[in-house]
């Protein structure tokens, strides 16, 4: 049984037919009963009958009929996310039952930058769905991950590249940018208070040079190795920090050319594999990583 909360705040316990949900979504997505019928391979009258049956079950009109199609009522709009969730759950269940259970070890390396943002929920969902797979995660910088792949210590690794190489699969471009918290206005101070890595090479070559090109006087007020420390520094108002765009903390923002700043580099996020071979479990985790980064592939560059 499904409880649907209506616009007026009342609830209704219903046994909703998944076939009705599929037909309802087809009409929503095509905006027409006729086009929906073509989409799902049924007659127009059959689709109309199913929509009428669904409306009678709910006691609510779901569509406003127009001369050239239909549009959702407020109640219809409210049903859409419920219907999509029902269909998605059914599809996931069918896929899980059809698929051969995965097992075996998978060793994956991820950048520390993504250990609190893009990947934790996806990795946890993978581990839950494939209980027979022994997932081991290593958080580190790109160079150690590349070395671990070569030494057969990792099966997969998400790394950063400055220039696209012929190895690996490009997941997205996630540029490094300067970040501030407007509540504290660190970016307005001179010298500019900066949070930086304890290891100086990358900072000297990219981050600090970007400030020097802009003739911005700065001083390092916070040094750490993991990027989590940089996020803490900018979130709490201690300093500005350089972060990949997708990992900007809530309440903080990118400093753009309008602020007198700009991108530090155009970081490419790449998935590399152990060249010694693969297994179905490794392939499945690679697909999960691809899905996790897909929303970033269309992000503003």
């Amino acid at each position: 049984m499904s409880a649907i909360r209506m616009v007026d705040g009342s609830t209704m316990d219903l046994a909703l037919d998944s076939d009705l949900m599929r037909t309802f979504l087809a009409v929503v997505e095509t905006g027409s009963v006729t086009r929906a019928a073509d989409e799902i391979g049924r007659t127009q009258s059959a689709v109309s009958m199913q929509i009428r049956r669904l409306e009678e079950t709910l006691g609510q009109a779901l569509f406003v009929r127009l001369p050239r199609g239909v549009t959702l009522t407020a109640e219809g709009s409210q049903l859409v996310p419920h219907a999509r969730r029902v269909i998605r759950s059914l599809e996931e269940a069918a896929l899980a039952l059809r698929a051969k259970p995965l097992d075996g070890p998978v060793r994956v390396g991820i950048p520390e930058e993504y250990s609190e943002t893009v990947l934790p929920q996806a990795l946890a969902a993978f581990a839950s769905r494939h209980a027979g797979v022994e997932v081991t995660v290593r958080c580190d910088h790109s160079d150690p991950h590349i070395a671990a792949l070569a030494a057969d210590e990792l099966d997969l690794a998400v790394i950063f590249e400055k220039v696209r190489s012929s190895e690996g699969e490009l997941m997205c471009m996630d540029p490094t940018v300067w970040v501030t918290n407007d509540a504290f206005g660190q970016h307005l101070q001179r010298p500019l208070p900066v949070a930086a890595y304890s290891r100086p090479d990358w900072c000297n070559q990219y981050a600090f040079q970007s400030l020097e090109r802009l003739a911005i006087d700065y001083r390092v007020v916070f040094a750490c190795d993991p990027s989590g420390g940089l996020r803490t520094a900018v979130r709490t108002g201690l300093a500005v920090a350089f972060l990949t765009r997708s990992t900007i903390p809530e309440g903080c923002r990118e400093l753009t050319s309008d602020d007198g700043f700009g991108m530090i580099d155009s970081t490419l996020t790449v998935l590399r594999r152990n060249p010694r071979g693969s297994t179905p479990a490794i392939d499945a985790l690679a697909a999960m990583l691809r899905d996790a980064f897909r929303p970033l592939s269309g992000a503003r560059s």
Side-chain angles (χ1 to χ4, degrees):
M1 300 286 285
S2 300
I4 303 295
R5 183 171 296 277
M6 308 313 293
V7 171
D8 62 5
S10 62
T11 61
M12 186 180 297
D13 289 330
L14 304 166
L16 293 179
D17 187 333
S18 62
D19 194 37
L20 297 184
M21 294 291 95
R22 292 183 189 277
T23 300
F24 168 72
L25 289 177
V27 177
V28 170
E29 290 163 4
T30 61
S32 163
V33 171
T34 302
R35 288 193 292 271
D38 293 338
E39 181 80 17
I40 62 178
R42 295 190 176 178
T43 65
Q44 180 177 341
S45 61
V47 171
S48 296
M49 187 178 301
Q50 284 193 306
I51 295 300
R52 187 161 55 250
R53 178 183 162 197
L54 181 59
E55 290 179 324
E56 290 172 354
T57 301
L58 292 170
Q60 302 284 347
L62 301 176
F63 294 101
V64 176
R65 277 66 175 176
L66 303 173
R68 295 188 177 182
V70 297
T71 186
L72 285 165
T73 63
E75 292 80 6
S77 296
Q78 189 175 3
L79 181 60
V80 170
H82 294 284
R84 285 178 175 156
R85 186 164 58 248
V86 167
I87 299 305
R88 183 167 60 249
S89 296
L90 288 172
E91 290 173 347
E92 289 175 353
L95 182 62
L97 291 171
R98 285 199 303 266
K100 181 181 177 181
L102 298 176
D103 57 18
V106 182
R107 305 160 299 174
V108 59
I110 64 173
E112 192 274 334
E113 283 87 342
Y114 296 133
S115 65
E116 299 177 9
T117 54
V118 177
L119 296 179
Q121 186 173 356
L123 287 168
F126 181 89
S128 175
R129 186 177 303 168
H130 304 292
V133 179
E134 302 169 2
V135 180
T136 303
V137 181
R138 178 188 296 188
C139 290
D140 210 332
H141 303 296
S142 294
D143 288 344
H145 283 331
I146 293 171
L149 285 171
D152 197 22
E153 295 171 356
L154 287 176
D155 302 300
L156 300 165
V158 177
I159 66 165
F160 293 131
E161 289 185 350
K162 305 303 177 192
V163 179
R164 184 74 176 102
S165 70
S166 59
E167 297 184 57
E169 174 186 352
L170 179 63
M171 310 291 274
C172 67
M173 188 180 86
D174 199 5
T176 307
V177 297
W178 288 106
V179 177
T180 189
N181 186 330
D182 278 326
F184 300 96
Q186 311 100 312
H187 60 290
L188 302 175
Q189 300 177 28
R190 294 296 181 273
L192 182 73
V194 172
Y197 289 131
S198 303
R199 47 192 172 89
D201 292 349
W202 187 92
C203 299
N204 291 338
Q205 186 175 359
Y206 294 99
F208 296 157
Q209 279 192 12
S210 75
L211 296 177
E212 290 162 6
R213 285 195 299 270
L214 295 167
I216 296 176
D217 188 22
Y218 66 91
R219 66 186 183 94
V220 176
V221 300
F222 183 89
C224 63
D225 190 33
S227 64
L230 302 183
R231 290 192 292 274
T232 298
V234 71
R235 187 173 55 245
T236 58
L238 180 61
V240 300
F242 44 80
L243 299 170
T244 49
R245 183 177 282 157
S246 71
T247 64
I248 295 175
E250 185 177 355
C252 302
R253 69 173 179 88
E254 174 183 345
L255 288 165
T256 67
S257 57
D258 291 340
D259 302 293
F261 291 76
M263 285 197 322
I264 297 171
D265 67 16
S266 299
T267 303
L268 303 173
T269 304
V270 175
L271 176 64
R272 288 197 185 182
R273 292 172 173 257
N274 187 318
R276 294 167 182 80
S278 188
T279 67
I282 293 171
D283 290 341
L285 185 56
M288 181 281 296
L289 292 170
R290 192 177 301 115
D291 289 342
F293 280 98
R294 184 169 290 117
L296 300 186
S297 64
R300 181 170 54 90
S301 60

